[in-house]
Amino acid sequence: MVVDLNILIGGEAGQGVQSIGSVVARTMLRGGYEIFADQDFESRIRGGHSFTRVRVSGHPVASAIDPIDILVALNAETVEIHRKDLQPGGVIIYDGAKTGLKPQNSIIALDIPLETIAADTSGNVLMSNTVAAAATLGLLGYSFDVLADVLRQEYGRHGVKMVDDNIKAGQAGYDFGTVNRPAGFQLRLKEGKPSGKMLVTGHEALALGVLAAGCKFVAGYPMTPTTPILEFLASRGREFGLHVIQAEDEISAANMVVGAAYAGVRAMTGTSGGGFCLMVEALSLAGMTETPMVVVLGQRSGPSTGLPTRTEQGDLLFALHAGQGEFPRAILAPVDAEGAFWAAVKAFNLAEKYQTPVLIMTDHDLGNSSYLMTKPDLSKVVIDRGDILSDEEAEKAEDYRRYAFTKAGISPRAFPGQGKALVVADSDEHNERGHIVEAGEERVKMMDKRMRKNTGLAKEIEGPTIRRRENAKLNLIGWGSTAGAIAEAGGILETMGVNASVVQFNELWPFPAEAVTKVLGGANKNIVIENNYTGQLEKLIRSETGIAADARIHKYDGRAFTAEYIVNALKEEGLL
Amino acid sequence: MKVDIKEYAPGSESAWCPGCGNFGILRSVNKALVGLGLHPHQVLLVSGIGQSGKMPHYTTANVFNGLHGRPMPAAIGAKMANRELNVLVISGDGDGYGEGGNHFMHAMNRNPDLTYLVHNNQVYGLTKGQVSPTTDAGVTSKLNPEGAFHALRPLAVAVACDCSFVARGFAGEIDHLAQLIEQGVRHKGFALIEVLQPCVSFNKKNTYEWYQDRVYKLGETKYDPTDSAAAFQKALEWGDRIPIGVIYKHEREIFEDYVGVSQQTPLVRQSIDPLAVEKLFEAFT
């Protein structure tokens, strides 16, 4: 049997939904399964309804699915909301005394006194999360030892007692699930050998990439969904010589980044659309002063404050055009955790090599979802800091020209204090030495110099990844975080006898027009799938290649695509 | 090697009006840097936009002339990247107190070790004469026909923010101002030096003569700049008598030390080692 199991844990914010999900996911990971987990939560700290889904599979998965096999309901509302998705043969796990839920004949359920078990075994009701995770694994007949290992790792830093209490509570929950397993529940899952892969969110992977790339300075202002990047870097940065500042606002954060990069370190900020609005002037400043600046733009639903904790792809054209005037930039849009790691590495290289801003576009879905990823081969991380004067050169460069005219438009950098070279940078139009100019001819020469960098930059950008299928009549086209759902939709279509090629962009600017024309210029119907209202990638493809989409699938309810949703939408469009 | 004033030659031709108070400030800055024994390559001047923002171009140093109101965050970024740089931030009343008001407040609170020179001519010079946050009440402009409403007293704000060095100079007192700048650079922490600066084109009220009749040097009185309550009073003094000199001064921990950057080689000289990230992977398996 092909394993593809969906476990949903739901409850109020603050009830431990995420920690149960995390323990279950990591226990499955240790047993060699593929995992995808996503988070759905409201913009509140307590109450409301939130859930996490852990998809456990025998094959690689990178998107969520709707049908539920195990529903862990920490409150009654969870059952009300998600019952419709419970598969035949699926089970609900709940604490009847706590939630007020009553057994129903038509539903397979395990009524388990989570808090009582936690209190009886460890004297700590907070352990009820561990009891719930363990009961879930007990129902599936999964190994308790693997769970115990995960608990040791998870709670080890809190001391021996914490680990022992969790294991005691876990054992009791596990036993309860095993002994009281409802007769109708047939699913069993055996652990295998660990794959050695990592379970990481998109933003954790990105942050690891930032560390590997040698970023030394991060300034930011908390904003969902990118705060976890800042927090991760703040907690681990010190040992890598990376300093993280929480600035007073995003304007300050972006200008700090430009200042730090000017002074010679790799520097970055992370924000969402609203914060990025405030950073736009500094982005243009980086373009004008030719300062390498990396910005992670984690999109969420807009306009304005929008749906603060939900996903969307509504900022692509904004990112492309953000900033007064014209200057070179690159936009990367990784499709999963592994992509996010390498996008970070590449972003710093491009930013420094071309001395211009680079944007990494993610969103809530990519950032907060957990993916499996093979440990990155760090020996493959190349640090290309571009053309920089050596200390000896800088010591002697008394006639240094920060914006020297060159064929490629790239002027060798020096840093203030590096030597005798004086580094003069200006947001005004300037001459080779960085001083203010007004004359038209000088302006044209400097503008041409800056824009010449686009030629080299364009060669660095990769075209979309293509999964071709024989005799395909459709191209399913997407960018960024939608990759998992679109790829899976392609697979489902194949089983239905409809072959569709999947074309996924993970780098968007400078636009890889030639490669795109090659793949989309044929007879296939081009269907652009985007998590927005207006079809921003579709517009971009059309403006850069003249190729118009034949159909489009949009979603803007703040939730990520699923493969099923895409297949249904194609049906509704009459495309199947 | 002794520093020669000639090292601070103009980097480009000045676009200031003849008689501008900025010329006096520029001479004071150059004099102070020589007095401090600093060569141009050891100095970073960060400025914003306005007539003040052009100043770094009229001397010789490393320069970052950034956005309107934003020199402070750019300077903090540069200082964090390389704490060995001698950073002077050059701003104005519009740039620093208006557009950059938020950064002003938070920078003082953080106390990074840099010097903040605010050219206060009580008017927007570059955009032709509109009122600024510090324009005296009642002074009118084309954009403000009813006149300025109420003047901000930034030095009182600074004392309230526990700014560790608060001083005021006058563009017509070049040696005195140069001394203040030297003190500000030597001060370990955030040094605010506001400079009263006549604008010969647009400010017809606060002229050289107007200031000369009013300014007096705190150093020549029995004033004690370590008393914060007295400093707050002194910072509000304006009208017939205007104090110049050090208004408030005390030592407190600087931002760079607090965040631990001091225990390390400047970030800009730290190596990059991608392989070191390997040790973080285990936690995700």
Side-chain angles (χ1 to χ4, degrees), chain A residues 26 29-30 153 196-200 204 208 211-214 216-217 232 236 238-243 245-249 251-252 255-256 258-260 262-266 281-282 285 289 291 341 375-376 378-379 381 383 385 415-417 419-428 434-436, chain B residues 11-12 40-45 48-49 53-54 56-68 70 72-82 85 99 102-104 106-107 110 255 258-261 263-264 267-285:
Chain A
R26 293 181 53 187
L29 168 72
R30 292 286 180 88
Q153 188 191 19
K197 288 182 180 175
M198 298 159 64
L199 180 68
V200 274
E204 283 166 344
L208 288 168
L211 290 175
K216 298 290 179 205
F217 182 83
F232 182 90
R236 313 282 156 82
R238 188 65 61 84
E239 53 190 300
F240 294 88
L242 162 66
H243 183 67
I245 291 188
Q246 181 184 331
E248 59 270 24
D249 56 34
I251 295 175
S252 181
N255 280 277
M256 283 180 180
V258 174
Y262 159 81
V265 298
R266 293 190 149 193
E281 195 187 13
L285 171 69
T289 56
T291 308
F341 178 90
K375 278 184 194 167
L378 293 168
S379 68
V381 173
I383 306 293
R385 299 209 59 190
F415 305 129
K420 295 278 160 46
L422 294 175
V423 188
V424 180
D426 199 314
S427 67
D428 288 86
H435 291 300
I436 301 172
Chain B
S12 67
H41 67 269
Q42 297 171 298
V43 177
L44 169 60
L45 302 179
I49 300 297
K54 298 174 185 171
H57 295 283
Y58 307 150
T59 182
T60 304
N62 294 289
V63 175
F64 189 85
N65 180 188
L67 296 176
H68 186 43
R70 320 298 170 201
M72 186 55 69
I76 291 175
K79 184 74 181 174
M80 298 306 284
N82 184 358
L85 288 171
E99 189 89 14
N102 198 26
H103 312 311
F104 173 54
H106 291 281
R110 284 194 189 98
F255 189 58
Y258 179 69
V259 299
V261 174
Q263 285 95 42
Q264 308 169 343
L267 296 179
V268 70
R269 287 211 302 274
Q270 291 197 25
S271 58
I272 292 174
D273 178 16
L275 298 179
V277 176
E278 184 78 35
K279 61 174 176 266
L280 299 182
F281 291 163
E282 192 58 33
F284 294 98
T285 58

Side-chain angles (χ1 to χ4, degrees), chain A residues 402-440:
Chain A
R402 170 64 189 91
Y403 302 108
F405 294 125
T406 62
K407 202 164 162 234
I410 296 166
S411 319
R413 280 196 301 158
F415 305 129
Q418 191 187 4
K420 295 278 160 46
L422 294 175
V423 188
V424 180
D426 199 314
S427 67
D428 288 86
E429 190 56 277
H430 42 256
N431 58 23
E432 287 181 283
R433 286 198 165 76
H435 291 300
I436 301 172
V437 297
E438 301 259 356

Side-chain angles (χ1 to χ4, degrees), chain A residues 427-475:
Chain A
S427 67
D428 288 86
E429 190 56 277
H430 42 256
N431 58 23
E432 287 181 283
R433 286 198 165 76
H435 291 300
I436 301 172
V437 297
E438 301 259 356
E441 315 85 78
E442 285 183 289
R443 149 72 173 183
V444 168
K445 275 184 87 173
M446 193 52 74
M447 187 74 177
D448 287 345
K449 179 201 104 73
R450 278 192 299 271
M451 296 310 271
R452 274 201 298 279
K453 295 191 289 187
N454 267 325
T455 311
L457 188 55
K459 290 185 188 137
E460 308 264 5
I461 296 299
E462 307 225 354
T465 55
I466 305 159
R467 164 82 165 86
R468 286 183 207 280
R469 285 194 172 80
E470 297 230 347
N471 306 317
K473 297 276 187 295
L474 304 176
N475 291 329

Side-chain angles (χ1 to χ4, degrees), chain A residues 36 54 84 135 141 162 175 285 312 335 339 438 449 530 539:
Chain A
F36 177 84
V54 182
K84 62 175 170 40
M162 190 73 167
D175 293 345
L285 171 69
E312 199 161 274
V335 304
E438 301 259 356
K449 179 201 104 73
E530 293 185 73
K539 283 183 181 153

Side-chain angles (χ1 to χ4, degrees), chain A residues 181-515:
Chain A
R181 182 186 292 138
F185 184 68
Q186 307 286 344
L187 272 170
R188 298 292 180 274
L189 216 55
K190 284 285 161 226
E191 66 290 348
K193 279 180 142 182
S195 60
K197 288 182 180 175
M198 298 159 64
L199 180 68
V200 274
T201 66
H203 280 164
E204 283 166 344
L206 196 151
L208 288 168
V210 170
L211 290 175
C215 177
K216 298 290 179 205
F217 182 83
V218 173
Y221 188 88
M223 188 168 188
T224 303
T226 45
T227 310
I229 299 177
L230 305 178
E231 288 175 342
F232 182 90
L233 293 172
S235 67
R236 313 282 156 82
R238 188 65 61 84
E239 53 190 300
F240 294 88
L242 162 66
H243 183 67
V244 180
I245 291 188
Q246 181 184 331
E248 59 270 24
D249 56 34
E250 286 89 346
I251 295 175
S252 181
N255 280 277
M256 283 180 180
V257 166
V258 174
Y262 159 81
V265 298
R266 293 190 149 193
M268 184 197 90
T269 186
T271 187
S272 189
F276 185 63
C277 289
L278 299 183
M279 295 181 174
V280 165
E281 195 187 13
L283 193 80
S284 181
L285 171 69
M288 183 52 137
T289 56
E290 305 196 41
T291 308
M293 176 191 200
V294 174
V295 181
V296 179
L297 171 49
Q299 302 163 98
R300 64 193 219 187
S301 308
S304 193
T305 310
L307 298 169
T309 60
R310 310 290 171 184
T311 204
E312 199 161 274
Q313 296 181 306
D315 297 340
L316 172 56
L317 295 181
F318 174 39
L320 179 57
H321 298 292
Q324 70 271 44
E326 300 161 303
F327 54 91
R329 78 186 71 199
I331 300 178
L332 310 179
V335 304
D336 57 15
E338 187 175 4
F341 178 90
W342 293 106
V345 172
K346 184 166 182 173
F348 284 99
N349 286 344
L350 292 181
E352 288 209 299
K353 203 167 160 190
Y354 296 94
Q355 304 176 19
T356 209
V358 176
L359 289 134
I360 305 173
M361 296 194 72
T362 66
D363 52 32
H364 164 83
D365 183 35
L366 179 95
N368 283 324
S369 295
S370 299
Y371 299 78
L372 276 208
M373 150 182 193
T374 307
K375 278 184 194 167
D377 180 354
L378 293 168
S379 68
K380 295 221 162 72
V381 173
V382 175
I383 306 293
D384 182 354
R385 299 209 59 190
D387 200 349
I388 299 175
L389 264 58
S390 69
D391 287 353
E392 295 72 40
E393 288 168 330
E395 189 53 41
K396 284 181 284 181
E398 297 199 17
D399 186 35
Y400 174 68
R401 297 172 181 215
R402 170 64 189 91
Y403 302 108
F405 294 125
T406 62
K407 202 164 162 234
I410 296 166
S411 319
R413 280 196 301 158
F415 305 129
Q418 191 187 4
K420 295 278 160 46
L422 294 175
V423 188
V424 180
D426 199 314
S427 67
D428 288 86
E429 190 56 277
H430 42 256
N431 58 23
E432 287 181 283
R433 286 198 165 76
H435 291 300
I436 301 172
V437 297
E438 301 259 356
E441 315 85 78
E442 285 183 289
R443 149 72 173 183
V444 168
K445 275 184 87 173
M446 193 52 74
M447 187 74 177
D448 287 345
K449 179 201 104 73
R450 278 192 299 271
M451 296 310 271
R452 274 201 298 279
K453 295 191 289 187
N454 267 325
T455 311
L457 188 55
K459 290 185 188 137
E460 308 264 5
I461 296 299
E462 307 225 354
T465 55
I466 305 159
R467 164 82 165 86
R468 286 183 207 280
R469 285 194 172 80
E470 297 230 347
N471 306 317
K473 297 276 187 295
L474 304 176
N475 291 329
L476 304 182
I477 305 155
W479 64 283
S481 65
T482 56
I486 297 177
E488 193 165 349
I492 294 174
L493 292 181
E494 198 169 20
T495 65
M496 296 164 65
V498 180
N499 280 4
S501 293
V502 171
V503 180
Q504 193 79 17
F505 285 81
N506 50 27
E507 301 188 353
L508 287 159
W509 196 263
F511 194 76
E514 206 175 310

